[in-house]
Amino acid sequence: MNKHQGFMALVIKGLMWIYSLITFSILIYMIYNSFRTRQDILSNTFGMPKKLNLDNFKKLFVNDHFYRYFLNSAVILVFSLILITLLSSMTAYGIGRYKFKFRKFTRIYFLVGLMFPVQLGIVPIFLLMKNLNLINNHASVILILSAGISMPVFMLTDFFANLPNEIYEAAIIDGAGEWKTFYKIMFPMAKPIVFSICIIMSVQVWNQFFMPLIFLQSEAYKTIPLIIVKYTKNLLSTMDLAMAASVLSTVPILIIFVIFSERILEGVATGGVKG
């Protein structure tokens, strides 16, 4: 049995290494081509380039005002993470620390939320945002993305539920109210998990395509994933710009994810704290 498990672990590790190498090779190739001209990419795809330069990036920022789309994505990311953190932490604290009717049903409700994408209810959501005059407004995308708190609630609920009761009782004895106990004691203790949630959710929010496509119809409000489509519609004529835009979209968030990967694992592991 142990030999069988060891063999399967070896196979899984091998497949993961192969997948990682393929993904890394594609990323390096994309970065490499972002410094080449379109003619060079098409005529000498896998060969040595005639020259490498920053012309593609200059065109993006000077001619197409790429910084504006970058800023739009950053605004949506920051405010979405703030709301996700606040909503998920308070919800998880209530579910994890208090006993009430339908508590188990509430936990199941958030678990079920992981199975159904928001696209299933896009029509009523669109009509709601239209009635609120939030079409072509970053607030619409922020509110919708901030409502996707199933995964953060799932991670935080077990953490708060497993905290020792002595901590809560000591806070009450010292005269702290419910709100002060939460944001002064309980929430700071959950920082590793909150940090992990922010990094994981930032990847989802940053790469979000569908919601900005539906609700941000004006050019001034569009995000990076939407502008990349502009270059991929006619890829042969804009391949150089598509490569550069993809690099600017992927590399920043990838660097953050790699740098804080250990903190992510630490946060996930912290969810198993026992009293």
Side-chain angles (χ1 to χ4, degrees), residues 172-183:
I172 298 300
I173 292 173
D174 289 339
E178 293 292 341
W179 174 247
K180 190 174 183 179
T181 301
F182 169 71
Y183 81 86

Side-chain angles (χ1 to χ4, degrees), residues 157-259:
T157 297
D158 287 337
F159 174 80
F160 286 127
N162 291 326
L163 284 178
N165 290 326
E166 289 79 4
I167 299 176
Y168 178 80
E169 292 171 357
I172 298 300
I173 292 173
D174 289 339
E178 293 292 341
W179 174 247
K180 190 174 183 179
T181 301
F182 169 71
Y183 81 86
K184 283 286 188 178
I185 300 174
M186 299 300 186
F187 183 77
M189 294 180 67
K191 279 184 178 179
I193 300 180
V194 172
F195 190 88
S196 299
I197 289 171
C198 288
I199 299 299
I200 295 171
M201 297 302 294
S202 65
V203 177
Q204 298 182 22
V205 173
W206 184 264
N207 293 328
Q208 179 62 230
F209 173 78
F210 184 76
M211 291 303 159
L213 176 67
I214 299 298
F215 296 100
L216 303 179
Q217 301 169 357
S218 175
E219 193 72 18
Y221 297 101
K222 288 186 176 181
T223 58
I224 289 179
L226 296 182
I227 196 62
I228 290 178
V229 175
K230 171 184 176 181
Y231 303 117
T232 56
K233 282 183 178 179
N234 191 6
L235 191 59
L236 291 179
S237 61
T238 56
M239 181 175 293
D240 49 348
L241 297 178
M243 291 290 182
S246 298
V247 168
L248 291 174
S249 171
T250 306
V251 171
I253 200 71
L254 182 62
I255 291 174
I256 295 175
F257 194 85
V258 171
I259 291 174

Side-chain angles (χ1 to χ4, degrees), residues 33-102:
N33 280 328
S34 67
F35 295 99
R36 302 172 65 184
T37 63
R38 180 177 65 88
Q39 293 79 6
D40 192 22
I41 296 174
L42 294 176
S43 62
N44 189 26
T45 304
F46 296 102
M48 294 297 294
K50 295 179 180 179
K51 63 176 182 177
L52 298 176
N53 53 60
L54 297 173
D55 290 347
N56 296 332
F57 297 96
K58 291 178 181 178
K59 291 177 183 177
L60 286 178
F61 282 95
V62 176
N63 298 337
D64 291 342
H65 306 292
F66 189 84
Y67 60 88
R68 180 175 61 190
Y69 307 104
F70 194 95
L71 181 61
N72 289 339
S73 292
V75 169
I76 292 174
L77 175 63
V78 170
F79 285 98
S80 295
L81 290 181
I82 292 173
L83 282 177
I84 288 171
T85 301
L86 292 175
L87 294 174
S88 61
S89 60
M90 289 189 289
T91 303
Y93 181 73
I95 298 174
R97 298 301 300 176
Y98 299 106
K99 295 182 179 179
F100 54 90
K101 195 175 182 180
F102 302 121

